[in-house]
Amino acid sequence: MKVELINYTPQPERTVAVAARMCYSDADIDELSENMSDEKVRSFLQKLVDLGHESPIEHASFTFAIEGISRACSHQLVRHRLASYSQKSQRYVKEDQFQYVIPPSYIDKGIEDRFEERMKIIQQWYNEDIEAGIPKEDARYNLPNACQTQLMVTMNARELWHFFRLRCCLRAQWEIRTVAESMLREVKKVAPLLFEKAGPACVYGPCSEGKMNCGKSKEVRARYREMHA
């Protein structure tokens, strides 16, 4: 799996801080920008978090390239609708030697060979159908959820906060949780203040899973304190 931040709003934290300050000031844009010191940027970002005033953070967006995840994972990712996606098409791209993701549970049970054999059989079916003249858009119906894909996704910071609250949770499926944690590490490199308190809901508040919680909130909080250090 590879997750890379390939583009983002220039000076994302300053952009958000200027937008937030504008809501409470009669100064023009030039004046707001010129008088916004690094300390004021930090102060305004902290106020946004404390007050729950999240709309200004929509002005910062981040674009990721993601490779080597399964179709099962990408189907979960695209459920986050306040985002833009471009994904490799199995309708136009021939999967004559598709790569696939093996769930760790198969490896833990020592039966990954069984899984790999099934992938070989599916590959054979797909190739036979392509050779028989079946269009790629129809032959893809043979392909498994394990088939690897690649995509680009753009989200604004507010949607990323929401995404991290849900998908960094221990109850999230293992693969998309890995993607979410990788994305969080990437954005923290360029906007550490903006994502200072990003992560699963239990890190800075009550668990959103209620009675279905994982029971490991202390361990999760310790892990994210280390990540944000």
Side-chain angles (χ1 to χ4, degrees), residues 160-223:
L160 279 170
W161 277 13
H162 173 69
F163 176 74
F164 295 143
R165 279 196 291 268
L166 296 179
R167 301 302 188 171
C168 289
C169 174
L170 278 184
R171 283 187 49 78
Q173 188 259 355
W174 64 269
E175 191 178 10
I176 197 167
R177 185 172 67 248
T178 303
V179 171
E181 290 177 347
S182 298
M183 290 169 65
L184 177 54
R185 290 189 182 94
E186 286 289 289
V187 294
K188 280 181 63 62
K189 295 175 185 177
V190 298
L193 298 177
L194 191 55
F195 294 98
E196 186 175 19
K197 294 186 177 181
C202 68
V203 174
Y204 294 101
C207 175
S208 58
E209 294 293 313
K211 294 181 179 179
M212 299 180 68
N213 70 83
C214 69
K216 298 180 180 180
S217 59
K218 289 184 180 179
E219 293 93 327
V220 173
R221 288 167 186 160
R223 183 163 178 264

Side-chain angles (χ1 to χ4, degrees), residues 14 36-46 193:
R14 178 171 294 274
M36 185 65 74
S37 65
D38 290 344
E39 184 54 40
K40 286 184 178 180
V41 168
R42 174 180 287 276
S43 176
F44 267 89
L45 290 179
Q46 186 62 56
L193 298 177

Side-chain angles (χ1 to χ4, degrees), residues 21 25 32 35 38 52 61 100 107 130 134 141 171 202 228:
R21 190 181 179 199
S25 174
L32 287 174
N35 295 332
D38 290 344
S61 63
Y100 51 86
I107 299 172
I130 291 293
I134 299 297
Y141 280 68
R171 283 187 49 78
C202 68
H228 292 315

Side-chain angles (χ1 to χ4, degrees), residues 48-202:
L48 293 182
V49 174
D50 293 343
L51 296 175
H53 185 192
E54 297 182 355
S55 61
I57 70 174
E58 295 177 9
H59 293 292
S61 63
F62 302 82
T63 299
F64 304 84
I66 303 174
E67 300 177 352
I69 63 171
S70 69
R71 281 268 172 171
C73 183
S74 69
H75 289 345
Q76 296 178 77
L77 182 58
V78 298
R79 290 178 186 150
H80 293 269
R81 294 182 293 278
L82 298 182
S84 299
Y85 300 95
S86 297
Q87 184 172 8
K88 185 180 87 171
S89 171
Q90 291 179 332
R91 183 183 182 193
Y92 297 108
V93 179
K94 187 165 67 173
E95 297 279 13
D96 52 354
Q97 192 57 59
F98 71 83
Q99 302 297 308
Y100 51 86
V101 174
I102 304 177
S105 57
Y106 281 84
I107 299 172
D108 294 341
K109 295 291 185 181
I111 56 174
E112 64 268 30
D113 290 348
R114 178 192 302 177
F115 189 90
E116 291 173 341
E117 187 61 33
R118 292 169 180 169
M119 296 300 104
K120 292 177 183 177
I121 293 171
I122 292 173
Q123 182 72 78
Q124 181 180 341
W125 291 342
Y126 178 88
N127 291 345
E128 288 175 351
D129 289 352
I130 291 293
E131 291 172 5
I134 299 297
K136 293 188 291 293
E137 65 178 18
D138 293 337
R140 63 178 168 167
Y141 280 68
N142 288 286
L143 297 173
N145 275 331
C147 187
Q148 286 189 11
T149 188
Q150 59 190 36
L151 54 82
M152 288 177 58
V153 55
T154 300
M155 294 185 184
N156 67 49
R158 187 179 192 178
E159 179 61 13
L160 279 170
W161 277 13
H162 173 69
F163 176 74
F164 295 143
R165 279 196 291 268
L166 296 179
R167 301 302 188 171
C168 289
C169 174
L170 278 184
R171 283 187 49 78
Q173 188 259 355
W174 64 269
E175 191 178 10
I176 197 167
R177 185 172 67 248
T178 303
V179 171
E181 290 177 347
S182 298
M183 290 169 65
L184 177 54
R185 290 189 182 94
E186 286 289 289
V187 294
K188 280 181 63 62
K189 295 175 185 177
V190 298
L193 298 177
L194 191 55
F195 294 98
E196 186 175 19
K197 294 186 177 181
C202 68

